[in-house]
DNA sequence: GCATTTCCTATTAAATTGGTAGGATTAGTA
DNA sequence: TACTAATCCTACCAATTTAATAGGAAATGC
């Protein structure tokens, strides 16, 4: 299940990408426009900034802005920041690999093989979708 | 993240599919062979039985058996029983559809479009994988 | 120097997950 | 018929995660 955090994060990024103003977009605006609890949204945007996807400016006329063109922001990157690993099990994760404690032999594990296929097909979608695709109507 | 329930369930089904005996497979055997807490496994197999994937026999020499040939048991069916909806958001779920409370217009929602693609690509994998594929080594 | 905004830490309530406990029910067998 | 071995069923519990809230520190612009 997609977390609210991710859902809110994607909506916020789309909102920012659609902004025509030259000034940064403020959390309050996004929260109001997308019906997201403001304080919760703050923490999400902060995470996106720490990951290098967003930039920010403090104080009056401050806010958040994209660090790259929407067409260069891949869903792989965004989803990993917001939702974490794309794989459904750590033992098939490319970026967050961890061995299962229970599985003696990964190559022989039936779940393993299936989850690799799911990972690859999901990855294919995220790799071919950018923020621009989301924000174009 | 894949739940332990699903992981255990898949391993148990594979175990049963690989059994050569003509007698049903007992929970205790599976629990021991796959390192799964027995009581937890009981509840999982019960769910699979109620969904019609497994059959059971009580008493001495009782246990669980497959209701269909492994090659006819699709992952779509199994995953829906164990993990629930395949879609990451209820508003794109084919079998468990629910409207989002926050989204005024589904067609315009940027998250919606992305999640439909993820659902379809995952579905494609599950639709083309059977229990036989998991249990073949 | 004051208002406005992001930034940071801590706390909390609710839901979910993973597992346990205990016994009822059913089927085979001596 | 009594006993044993298995599934079946209900309830409960602990740990974790999620979704949020609270309160203020730090920076910026006027």
């Amino acid at each position: 299940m997609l977390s609210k955090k991710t859902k809110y994060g994607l909506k916020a990024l789309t909102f920012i990408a659609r902004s025509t103003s030259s000034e940064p977009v403020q959390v309050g605006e996004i929260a109001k426009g997308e019906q997201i609890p403001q304080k919760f949204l703050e923490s999400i945007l902060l995470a996106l900034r720490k990951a290098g996807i967003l930039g920010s400016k403090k104080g009056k006329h401050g806010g958040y802005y994209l660090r790259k063109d929407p067409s260069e922001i891949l869903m792989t990157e965004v989803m990993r920041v917001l939702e974490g690993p794309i794989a459904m099990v750590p033992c098939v994760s490319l970026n967050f690999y961890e061995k299962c404690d229970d599985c003696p032999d990964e190559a022989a594990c039936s779940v393993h093989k299936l989850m690799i296929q799911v990972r690859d097909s999901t990855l294919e979608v995220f790799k071919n979708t950018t923020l621009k695709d989301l924000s174009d109507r």
Side-chain angles (χ1 to χ4, degrees), chain A:
Chain A
M1 187 62 81
L2 198 74
S3 65
K4 293 256 182 182
K5 179 182 173 186
T6 303
K7 194 175 181 187
Y8 291 162
L10 289 172
K11 288 194 170 194
L13 286 172
T14 307
F15 190 94
I16 296 172
R18 282 177 181 164
S19 162
T20 52
S21 156
S22 62
E23 302 233 306
V25 185
Q26 295 183 353
V27 176
E29 279 181 70
I30 307 172
K32 206 176 164 193
E34 299 288 342
Q35 311 264 57
I36 303 172
Q38 177 154 348
K39 276 293 193 176
F40 191 22
L41 182 56
E42 267 185 33
S43 68
I44 297 168
L45 297 182
L46 216 47
L48 288 166
R49 197 218 59 189
K50 284 182 178 166
I53 295 171
L54 290 177
S56 67
K57 200 180 146 191
K58 285 185 182 178
K60 201 159 194 172
H61 304 125
Y64 288 93
Y65 53 90
L66 300 173
R67 299 279 302 269
K68 292 187 280 191
D69 191 82
S71 66
E72 285 173 354
I73 299 176
L74 292 175
M75 283 305 112
T76 44
E77 191 186 357
V78 175
M79 291 299 292
R80 282 190 177 116
V81 171
L82 294 173
E83 191 73 6
I86 286 161
M88 295 184 82
V89 279
C91 69
V92 303
S93 175
L94 297 172
N95 288 253
F96 303 83
Y97 175 83
E98 250 176 80
K99 192 175 182 318
C100 319
D101 38 356
D102 43 351
C103 248
D105 181 8
E106 257 179 33
C109 174
S110 59
V111 178
H112 191 83
K113 289 182 286 180
L114 178 63
M115 289 304 124
I116 283 186
Q117 287 188 65
V118 174
R119 179 203 66 193
D120 286 343
S121 78
T122 305
L123 219 39
E124 197 63 25
V125 173
F126 289 154
K127 214 171 56 190
N128 291 302
T129 308
T130 70
L131 182 53
K132 180 170 187 303
D133 296 316
L134 296 207
S135 56
D136 280 353
R137 3 194 158 214

